[in-house]
Amino acid sequence: MDCLNEFGNLICHDTVYHCKQHREMNVPQEKEELEHYSYRIIMGMIINNEIRPGEAILETELAKRLNISRTPVRQALGRLIAEGLLQKKRKRGCVIPFPTPEDGRKIFQAREIMEMEMTKLAALNRTNADIESLERILALERTSLSSGNKEEYWLANQEFHFGIMKASKNQYLEKYGNHIFRHSSIYIFFFDSFYRDTKKSKHPQNLKSPTQHEQLLQTIVKKHQNKAAELMKHHIHFSFQTLTGV
């Protein structure tokens, strides 16, 4: 089982990274679509471990590789900085921050506290539209896990948690909950064996995630607020235990 104490073994290259197959996406033409395209490309590189913590992500180099202008790349990088997935470094472009055991403990602790409360509120305030959306996301999560599609699985997992946050009907909690969740993704991408494995394969800890999400959804449907909050706490704690090997 992967462990956060592997930090010392992370390889830090300074400049060059690879953009495999441009994620098999066609380059769009519209400005907003180009920004989204750049964002998805960079996220795909992070998810697939093509960029490592400490590596420089250079705006000019990335724009050249994608054969697009620097503006949408700059905007995508700015969005990733705002989300906590990248840090701006003077004269070195952007980098993925180095994960540390202490930061990991704090970020998952923050997730527990915030998402427990938002899950409780979601069970109280959810609408039928919220439930239908969560059911669709859960179906996508199971499909992407079955096929071993890491990018789709990450997106579905993220959107499930974001869907619960949205159902809480508290935009302030939702905003900061989104940010904390994205920052915690750094630990998942680099220490969860599902994402580190170069082959399309499933792992026991990931097989449990859709089941835990299904249980969460059932309690939200039934408006069992305390039970839903407790299940969310267990789910996040289980994720952290899986990463640390504790």
Side-chain angles (χ1 to χ4, degrees):
M1 192 171 290
D2 297 310
C3 176
L4 294 181
N5 290 328
E6 283 189 17
F7 293 130
N9 295 327
L10 288 174
I11 300 173
C12 176
H13 300 295
D14 236 3
T15 53
V16 181
Y17 45 85
H18 303 284
C19 181
K20 294 181 179 177
Q21 301 176 343
H22 284 193
R23 304 269 75 79
E24 299 181 356
M25 297 168 64
N26 294 322
V27 180
Q29 301 301 317
E30 298 296 327
K31 182 178 177 181
E32 289 184 6
E33 290 180 350
L34 278 171
E35 179 186 342
H36 181 67
Y37 168 76
S38 302
Y39 179 90
R40 288 296 300 271
I41 289 290
I42 300 167
M43 278 304 309
M45 293 164 71
I46 295 172
I47 292 169
N48 287 284
N49 280 256
E50 295 167 35
I51 312 172
R52 304 291 288 169
E55 287 185 348
I57 305 173
L58 304 177
E59 176 187 308
T60 52
E61 187 72 22
L62 188 56
K64 183 178 180 180
R65 287 177 180 273
L66 299 182
N67 196 29
I68 60 177
S69 69
R70 292 171 58 181
T71 300
V73 173
R74 184 184 309 120
Q75 292 169 334
L77 291 172
R79 177 179 167 187
L80 288 162
I81 291 170
E83 292 174 353
L85 281 165
L86 295 179
Q87 290 179 348
K88 181 69 175 177
K89 292 293 183 179
R90 188 177 181 183
K91 297 182 180 180
R92 290 191 60 220
C94 303
V95 298
I96 299 171
F98 275 102
T100 67
E102 181 62 13
D103 181 68
R105 182 186 66 79
K106 288 179 180 178
I107 197 70
F108 277 87
Q109 183 182 63
R111 275 192 61 191
E112 274 190 30
I113 294 169
M114 292 195 69
E115 291 193 55
M116 280 179 65
E117 187 60 34
M118 282 186 281
T119 302
K120 187 183 292 187
L121 288 172
L124 176 66
N125 298 321
R126 97 293 186 279
T127 63
N128 289 337
D130 291 324
I131 298 302
E132 291 172 3
S133 177
L134 287 168
E135 287 174 343
R136 287 194 297 270
I137 294 167
L138 185 58
L140 177 60
E141 182 181 37
R142 291 188 179 280
T143 301
S144 57
L145 178 61
S146 178
S147 66
N149 189 317
K150 297 176 185 179
E151 292 179 48
E152 284 189 4
Y153 179 74
W154 166 77
L155 185 61
N157 180 64
Q158 173 184 261
E159 291 308 308
F160 185 85
H161 283 265
F162 285 3
I164 291 176
M165 294 178 196
K166 183 179 180 181
S168 74
K169 309 307 178 189
N170 186 313
Q171 69 270 32
Y172 301 104
L173 286 173
E174 183 182 358
K175 176 183 177 180
Y176 292 106
N178 282 192
H179 180 84
I180 290 171
F181 182 93
R182 287 194 177 99
H183 186 72
S184 74
S185 297
I186 294 171
Y187 292 86
I188 295 169
F189 296 152
F190 293 104
F191 297 99
D192 188 322
S193 57
F194 177 74
Y195 292 97
R196 294 184 65 184
D197 196 335
T198 56
K199 300 177 181 179
K200 288 187 176 182
S201 57
K202 299 181 287 292
H203 298 274
Q205 61 267 35
N206 297 95
L207 290 172
K208 291 184 179 180
S209 187
T211 300
Q212 291 175 350
H213 285 175
E214 175 65 33
Q215 293 169 344
L216 268 166
L217 182 55
Q218 288 175 3
T219 58
I220 291 171
V221 169
K222 296 176 182 178
K223 296 195 172 186
H224 294 169
Q225 296 176 56
N226 292 332
K227 179 64 175 178
E230 191 62 30
L231 284 175
M232 179 60 81
K233 177 181 179 180
H234 171 76
H235 175 57
I236 295 172
H237 194 63
F238 171 80
S239 297
F240 185 64
Q241 285 181 317
T242 298
L243 297 177
T244 59
V246 177

